[in-house]
Amino acid sequence: MRQTNLTGEPAPYVSAREELRQAEIELMRHRERVADLRRRLPLGPVVDDYMFEEGPADLQAGDAPAQTVRLGELFTRPGRDLVVYHLMYGKKQTEPCPMCTMWLDGFNGVAHHVAQNVDFAIVAAADLPSLRAHARNRKWTNLRLLSAGSSTFKYDLGSEDAEGNQDSTVSVFTRDDNGSVRHFYSVHPRMSDDIDQRGIDLLSPVWHILDLTRQGRDNWFPALSYEARPLSN
């Protein structure tokens, strides 16, 4: 199967491109098998109804009044799962993680699409004003932002160690027939001793776009500094 209508493609190129196409098809099918295994996971344990701190939905409205929100209250209606992204910010992580920031820039743009199917929230160990100040700089107007405060949520889900060092993590929760909140799935960047950065790459298209090029992703990583963008009126 030709991928273009270009003429003059050398035979070695055509042969190599077909080999690559077959590998891409197998990769797609393998991703589908992995996704099916994930969907068929049995429910995990019932979890605590953790408490978070949340500010006004409108970022421009300041940070008060803050309210306490429980994990179970993040489900907006029956039949929906809850996806939580653990932002590396707070405690030992005194500056927001650039990689997490890049991901959340993208999530902010697609949040209204995600909301058609699941509930989605961002949780950080940072205090609420610091978290919201960073969100204002990034124009995260479509994300639900929560501070874990003194909660053990991040530690229990493996995105924080006993010393307060932070990690990026994605956790999925669901409700059972009795209404209890249960852990369904969590994934971290570190997959094994020899894979410490690729575990959640599928959440961002940036690396995959780079992988389309001859140079590939190489050792590319988001910049450690980035320009603040004032929230427009």
Side-chain angles (χ1 to χ4, degrees), residues 126-192:
D127 62 87
L128 192 62
S130 297
L131 173 60
R132 289 173 65 83
H134 184 54
R136 289 189 189 96
N137 284 341
R138 305 306 301 183
K139 296 185 178 180
W140 291 342
T141 57
N142 300 319
L143 298 178
R144 189 165 190 180
L145 305 165
L146 306 166
S147 171
S150 59
S151 166
T152 62
F153 175 79
K154 295 186 94 273
Y155 177 81
D156 292 346
L157 274 299
S159 69
E160 178 181 290
D161 66 17
E163 287 72 44
N165 296 297
Q166 304 295 303
D167 195 7
S168 52
T169 298
V170 180
S171 295
V172 182
F173 302 91
T174 192
R175 286 187 182 275
D176 61 23
D177 293 339
N178 297 320
S180 299
V181 178
R182 305 186 69 150
H183 177 252
F184 178 68
Y185 173 75
S186 284
V187 61
H188 309 269
R190 179 179 292 275
M191 303 181 75
S192 65

Side-chain angles (χ1 to χ4, degrees), residues 52-213:
F52 307 101
E53 191 177 16
E54 183 175 26
D58 183 357
L59 275 177
Q60 298 186 80
D63 302 328
Q67 62 177 342
T68 298
V69 182
R70 291 191 174 274
L71 180 65
E73 295 174 325
L74 301 179
F75 293 85
T76 59
R77 59 181 181 268
R80 288 165 68 90
D81 288 341
L82 168 68
V83 180
V84 174
Y85 185 88
H86 302 240
L87 168 62
M88 293 175 63
Y89 186 26
K91 298 186 179 179
K92 292 291 187 178
Q93 184 86 27
T94 57
E95 295 293 331
C97 168
M99 185 167 65
C100 292
T101 295
M102 179 189 71
W103 273 323
L104 298 189
D105 283 347
F107 294 160
N108 183 71
V110 299
H112 63 295
H113 297 295
V114 174
Q116 296 179 52
N117 294 286
V118 300
D119 293 313
F120 184 62
I122 311 301
V123 173
D127 62 87
L128 192 62
S130 297
L131 173 60
R132 289 173 65 83
H134 184 54
R136 289 189 189 96
N137 284 341
R138 305 306 301 183
K139 296 185 178 180
W140 291 342
T141 57
N142 300 319
L143 298 178
R144 189 165 190 180
L145 305 165
L146 306 166
S147 171
S150 59
S151 166
T152 62
F153 175 79
K154 295 186 94 273
Y155 177 81
D156 292 346
L157 274 299
S159 69
E160 178 181 290
D161 66 17
E163 287 72 44
N165 296 297
Q166 304 295 303
D167 195 7
S168 52
T169 298
V170 180
S171 295
V172 182
F173 302 91
T174 192
R175 286 187 182 275
D176 61 23
D177 293 339
N178 297 320
S180 299
V181 178
R182 305 186 69 150
H183 177 252
F184 178 68
Y185 173 75
S186 284
V187 61
H188 309 269
R190 179 179 292 275
M191 303 181 75
S192 65
D193 289 341
D194 63 333
I195 303 175
D196 65 352
Q197 288 293 334
R198 300 296 182 91
I200 56 177
D201 273 14
L202 289 176
L203 291 173
S204 171
V206 175
W207 285 278
H208 308 292
I209 292 174
L210 296 178
D211 278 344
L212 296 175
T213 68

Side-chain angles (χ1 to χ4, degrees), residues 1-4 6-21 214:
M1 177 181 291
R2 292 286 299 274
Q3 301 296 307
T4 73
L6 298 173
T7 59
E9 291 180 336
Y13 173 86
V14 173
S15 176
R17 181 65 186 90
E18 176 59 19
E19 180 182 5
L20 173 59
R21 186 178 73 88
R214 290 195 302 165

